[in-house]
Amino acid sequence: MLKSRIIATGSFVPEKILTNRDLERMVDTSDEWILERTGIRERHVVSKDESTSDLAAEAARQALKSAGLKAKDIDLIIVATCTPDMFFPSTACMVQHKIGAVHAAAFDINAACSGFLYGLSVADKFIRTGTCTRALVIGAETLTRFVDWEDRTTCVLFGDGAGAVILEPSDDESALLYTHIKSDAEYWDYIQIPGGASKEPASKTVLEKRSNTIRMKGNETFKVAVKTLETLVVDTLEQCNLKPSQLALLIPHQANLRIIQATAKRLGLSMDRVMLNLDRYGNTSAASIPIALDEAVRTGRIRRGDYLLLEAFGAGLTWASALIKW
Ligand code: UT7
């Protein structure tokens, strides 16, 4: 059976940076608290005239350039996002238009912070079945558009950005070896934007209550995330008959340094084998893994033949993993 492999990566973050010191002037918080509890120092924030599809399109252009391909060579575009430009058309269609990928089918996936790995898993199936031959999978978010800037428990956490990969059928050992996706909606209300959609349509009341912004039971989410991810990474390696010592790099979703450290500890991995960039970007939800992957590629941290483990956890609740032989 055909397998898929990642042939190129790209990423893009908006220019404007918001530091912890900047946040100290906006809410009752401190650089020390944010750094100690999350590992975040600063995050990038979209400007007034930028939207999710702008970031996604730029990440896509970078990936196409790295691959030496034209947009018309792409036959599938999947954008993982929970902060789309609008309800419809999909952000993937907006990206298709912006880059000129005229031969592609385009659709969005929403699995919150796990979205990119859900997208990767779906694109992999399209390639394995021969339904498409060149897939562009993007994780792109503008979470800062949906935070309550008066709520210190959430506004310090999130940032904006996009990352992209291009998948092709693989004719050698370099391949996406395994993906796993799972949801458990028992805790659906742990992370949500309750208002502004069909359940509670946009209204004056929604704006007054700010229910069109992110609500998170942070500590409860933290506990489920640590427990779930510890099992997820061990199971993923077992499925591929690999030992933690064979892993070159763990590329985790960048939500909280303490969650990432707990996952690495469970595998017995030293932190130099873990890709970290949340200090500079904060939690960019579905964009965090492809941004980190692109950075790892561009800084020479990944070599051909390396085993990479990608994992994510987010609203839904959802979680996912992928094992790649580069
Ligand atoms: O990406 C998708 C999945 N999301 C996650 O994985 C996020 C998981 N959760 C987390 O990362 C952490 O729970 C947070 C970083 C959100 C919070 O850290 P925590 O250690 O769980 O803190 P907490 O919510 O238990 O709050 C501890 C204290 C509280 O004060 P009291 O009640 O003890 O007096 C909060 O009010 O810290 C206070 N606090 C803050 N203080 C200063 C909460 N936010 C802030 C803040 N600055 N920004």
Side-chain angles (χ1 to χ4, degrees):
M1 196 194 211
L2 273 177
K3 282 186 178 149
S4 74
R5 73 183 175 109
I6 294 173
I7 59 154
T9 62
S11 64
F12 181 75
V13 291
E15 206 178 310
K16 188 180 164 202
I17 291 174
L18 188 71
T19 66
N20 291 352
R21 292 277 179 227
D22 295 330
L23 283 160
E24 284 179 353
R25 289 187 283 274
M26 296 162 65
V27 284
D28 179 17
T29 191
S30 66
D31 177 42
E32 294 70 29
W33 190 94
I34 302 171
L35 197 55
E36 193 187 302
R37 307 308 291 171
T38 71
I40 301 166
R41 291 176 192 276
E42 58 188 36
R43 66 289 289 143
H44 290 249
V45 175
V46 274
S47 65
K48 256 214 237 113
D49 51 3
E50 279 172 317
S51 65
T52 299
S53 69
D54 291 315
L55 311 186
E58 196 44 46
R61 288 186 196 104
Q62 301 279 337
L64 286 166
K65 193 173 163 208
S66 293
L69 291 173
K70 300 248 179 314
K72 64 175 171 43
D73 299 325
I74 298 296
D75 53 11
L76 176 68
I77 302 174
I78 299 178
V79 174
T81 187
C82 57
T83 52
D85 281 21
M86 46 187 122
F87 284 135
F88 59 85
S90 68
T91 302
C93 282
M94 302 310 288
V95 171
Q96 170 176 40
H97 179 61
K98 282 176 182 168
I99 65 174
V102 290
H103 299 308
F107 60 88
D108 288 358
I109 280 185
N110 178 354
C113 300
S114 311
F116 175 75
L117 294 183
Y118 271 63
L120 201 63
S121 182
V122 171
D124 178 56
K125 308 301 182 280
F126 271 80
I127 287 182
R128 280 175 186 254
T129 55
T131 315
C132 83
T133 52
R134 243 175 230 140
L136 177 60
V137 183
I138 306 171
E141 304 278 13
T142 50
L143 268 301
T144 67
R145 286 270 213 266
F146 300 90
V147 297
D148 177 350
W149 290 106
E150 290 182 17
D151 175 11
R152 69 173 183 173
T153 68
T154 50
C155 77
V156 303
L157 303 173
F158 299 100
D160 304 329
V165 301
I166 296 172
L167 291 174
E168 263 186 13
S170 169
D171 50 14
D172 60 23
E173 288 214 313
S174 152
L176 194 47
L177 300 180
Y178 173 79
T179 59
H180 175 76
I181 59 173
K182 182 76 172 67
S183 318
D184 180 356
E186 187 185 345
Y187 305 118
W188 68 269
D189 61 339
Y190 275 18
I191 319 174
Q192 54 170 319
I193 297 179
S198 71
K199 190 167 182 286
E200 202 186 325
S203 67
K204 213 168 144 225
T205 319
V206 164
L207 292 179
E208 276 163 10
K209 289 193 302 176
R210 299 207 183 105
S211 62
N212 58 323
T213 61
I214 299 169
R215 305 290 156 86
M216 182 166 79
K217 295 181 181 171
N219 197 263
E220 290 86 336
T221 307
F222 184 98
K223 286 176 195 150
V224 188
V226 168
K227 213 168 132 220
T228 306
L229 289 171
E230 284 182 350
T231 310
L232 176 68
V233 290
V234 169
D235 289 352
T236 302
L237 286 176
E238 265 177 28
Q239 288 294 328
C240 300
N241 290 317
L242 288 172
K243 295 190 214 54
S245 59
Q246 292 174 273
L247 271 185
L249 201 59
L250 173 70
I251 305 184
H253 167 51
Q254 313 277 314
N256 186 308
L257 180 61
R258 291 179 292 140
I259 296 177
I260 296 172
Q261 285 167 334
T263 311
K265 193 172 168 200
R266 177 69 183 82
L267 290 176
L269 286 186
S270 58
M271 289 306 284
D272 61 341
R273 280 202 282 153
V274 180
M275 188 62 204
L276 283 177
N277 62 12
L278 89 162
D279 56 327
R280 283 170 287 128
Y281 301 121
N283 181 347
T284 58
S285 187
S288 87
I289 290 178
I291 292 174
L293 175 64
D294 182 52
E295 196 169 309
V297 169
R298 282 173 205 275
T299 54
R301 289 191 69 177
I302 302 177
R303 288 171 206 289
R304 202 160 162 79
D306 277 354
Y307 287 111
L308 314 176
L309 173 55
L310 284 50
E311 48 85 349
F313 182 90
L317 298 173
T318 57
W319 57 92
S321 65
L323 205 303
I324 296 171
K325 182 163 187 178
W326 198 254

